[in-house]
Amino acid sequence: MIVADLLKNTKRTLFSFELLPPLKGKSIQEIYDAIEPLLEFNPAYINVTYHREEVVYKKRNDGLLEERLIRKRPGTVGISAAIKHKYNIEVVPHLICSGFTKEETEDALIDLNFLGIHNLLVVRGDPDKNLKTFIPTKGGHTYASELIDQISKLNNGIYLDEDIANPTPTQFSIGVAGYPEKHPESPNFETDIRVLKHKLDCGASYIVTQLFFDNKRYFDYLELCRKHGIDVPIVPGIKPISVKGHLSILPKNFYVEIPIELSKEVEKCNSNKEVEQVGIEWAIAQAKELIKAKVPSIHFYTMGRSSNIAKIAQAIY
Ligand code: FAD
């Protein structure tokens, strides 16, 4: 099943959610435990994020710092295959530019194709935590559009090495990221939309938005995209607030604004249980308005927590 077709043809608002691979050393059971409470809401597909390696600095005996690369989470390819084959649900692994050479990306694509996984969400990846700007991996891609171009070529049987035996065309369908509050590195919305259009021209066929807390941001963005001739499905992404710390962490990490009414309600709470309830109610109100506006799907960012998503799904589906 191709997610883009599903989004184009659906008559009702679908339910999808995104999972983060657990930290290394934990078991796949953690992923299953996050999925199972959400199965009764009939998810149309499940996304699995990808994470680059991180750089840590260790002090050497001579006092100098040594740079070490550590991978904190197991691979998205294996997790996606496990979910697809255990639950018979469509999975959408994310592919990222950062931390991967073109050859490593091609290997991941060959594995995914072999495993019968044909839907992808393609993003660039964030800058390394220790650096302010995004530095592409040597031999890798600088922008999501370049990675999409590599996948589109593979869909036409064009592999990196033209002498490769059996250059079977793949059949990947690609979603990309969009930013209702603008990507933080873009100088203005016009540039952001131009880049988004370029990603679609390179072969992507639908958009999933960054999380937002004010639906007006999404509706304005939708209008702007349509005005610029972007006619593909644009799936809104929602993340319920669940701890007080989200008031500062989410704007800092995702460059999104939290409406004053929501932050006031969260600040009044005396426990995280109360915060979670406020987050659930806010997300339900957002989702109800989005459903009324006939969005193709609502995409929930679980960030490793699914009990609150289940309560929201219960109220709206
Ligand atoms: P791009 O589309 O490449 O754009 C990045 C910046 O470069 C933008 O400012 C853009 O305007 C600019 N730009 C792009 N092309 C050009 C060009 N040709 N010339 C000049 N400027 C250009 N991160 C992860 O690490 N793993 C994940 O699994 C993950 N999943 C995500 C899922 C969703 C739905 C979203 C919204 C984000 C996700 N992210 C993930 C975060 C994402 O990697 C970051 O937001 C990243 O900073 C940008 O990714 P992008 O694909 O939008 O980049």
Side-chain angles (χ1 to χ4, degrees):
M1 189 252 304
I2 296 299
V3 167
D5 293 343
L6 194 69
L7 295 171
K8 271 182 211 143
N9 299 323
T10 184
K11 300 245 179 313
R12 62 180 179 93
T13 299
L14 303 170
F15 166 60
S16 61
F17 61 92
E18 170 175 309
L19 293 166
L20 196 75
L23 289 171
K24 214 156 80 178
K26 302 220 166 160
S27 106
I28 184 101
Q29 191 57 43
E30 196 151 314
I31 285 276
Y32 299 153
D33 290 345
I35 292 174
E36 278 164 23
L38 301 175
L39 289 180
E40 64 174 293
F41 307 107
N42 207 7
Y45 54 92
I46 300 174
N47 282 46
V48 185
T49 59
Y50 220 135
H51 298 273
R52 66 170 303 158
E53 78 288 340
E54 287 181 15
V55 178
V56 289
Y57 294 95
K58 294 243 160 136
K59 207 167 188 180
R60 293 192 326 207
N61 289 340
D62 60 7
L64 293 174
L65 290 179
E66 184 180 293
E67 189 182 280
R68 295 252 191 98
L69 287 180
I70 52 158
R71 221 170 248 293
K72 287 168 75 177
R73 296 174 193 277
T76 296
V77 174
I79 293 175
S80 300
I83 296 172
K84 184 176 168 93
H85 294 285
K86 181 172 169 75
Y87 298 108
N88 196 22
I89 289 181
E90 207 49 52
V91 281
V92 183
H94 293 193
L95 274 195
I96 60 175
C97 305
S98 44
F100 297 93
T101 63
K102 291 173 196 164
E103 284 74 16
E104 285 166 336
T105 294
E106 187 171 280
D107 286 345
L109 289 164
I110 292 169
D111 285 352
L112 287 166
N113 192 51
F114 175 72
L115 290 162
I117 296 172
H118 303 297
N119 289 291
L120 302 170
L121 190 104
V122 173
V123 289
R124 184 196 68 181
D126 279 321
D128 182 286
K129 283 197 180 95
N130 301 295
L131 304 167
K132 290 266 175 294
T133 50
F134 178 82
I135 313 262
T137 297
K138 200 164 169 241
H141 296 295
T142 307
Y143 297 117
S145 54
E146 296 174 0
L147 176 49
I148 297 165
D149 194 49
Q150 180 180 1
I151 300 165
S152 294
K153 285 195 174 123
L154 216 61
N155 280 347
N156 286 307
I158 303 168
Y159 286 66
L160 293 172
D161 185 342
E162 60 187 28
D163 295 326
I164 193 167
N166 301 324
T168 316
T170 53
Q171 37 181 303
F172 291 109
S173 165
I174 303 165
V176 287
Y179 301 85
E181 299 183 47
K182 190 181 84 54
H183 186 266
E185 294 162 40
S186 282
N188 47 57
F189 259 118
E190 291 295 313
T191 310
D192 221 31
I193 298 291
R194 186 166 42 78
V195 163
L196 182 62
K197 256 185 119 165
H198 182 55
K199 291 195 277 193
L200 298 168
D201 292 342
C202 288
S205 42
Y206 71 100
I207 298 159
V208 183
T209 77
Q210 181 59 282
L211 52 95
F212 58 87
F213 295 94
D214 179 356
N215 283 355
K216 186 172 182 316
R217 303 280 192 159
Y218 170 80
F219 293 129
D220 289 350
Y221 185 66
L222 188 67
E223 196 182 318
L224 188 67
C225 288
R226 299 295 184 237
K227 211 172 91 189
H228 283 79
I230 293 175
D231 60 358
V232 300
I234 303 182
V235 175
I238 286 193
K239 153 93 193 125
I241 282 190
S242 50
V243 291
K244 257 191 189 172
H246 280 159
L247 289 187
S248 53
I249 295 166
L250 298 177
K252 183 168 167 256
N253 289 351
F254 299 99
Y255 304 91
V256 294
E257 215 171 277
I258 298 189
I260 181 86
E261 302 88 321
L262 176 57
S263 64
K264 270 187 182 163
E265 285 305 309
V266 171
E267 274 157 12
K268 274 195 245 159
C269 295
N270 292 314
S271 66
N272 276 337
K273 202 159 178 262
E274 283 178 33
V275 176
E276 188 175 286
Q277 191 53 34
V278 169
I280 289 171
E281 282 164 21
W282 189 273
I284 290 172
Q286 270 194 283
K288 283 188 171 165
E289 192 183 22
L290 291 165
I291 290 173
K292 212 165 149 202
K294 297 192 167 37
V295 298
S297 183
I298 300 180
H299 189 66
F300 290 92
Y301 292 98
T302 68
M303 294 183 187
R305 183 190 292 254
S306 63
S307 57
N308 53 352
I309 308 294
K311 288 180 187 152
I312 298 160
Q314 183 92 58
I316 59 170
Y317 287 102

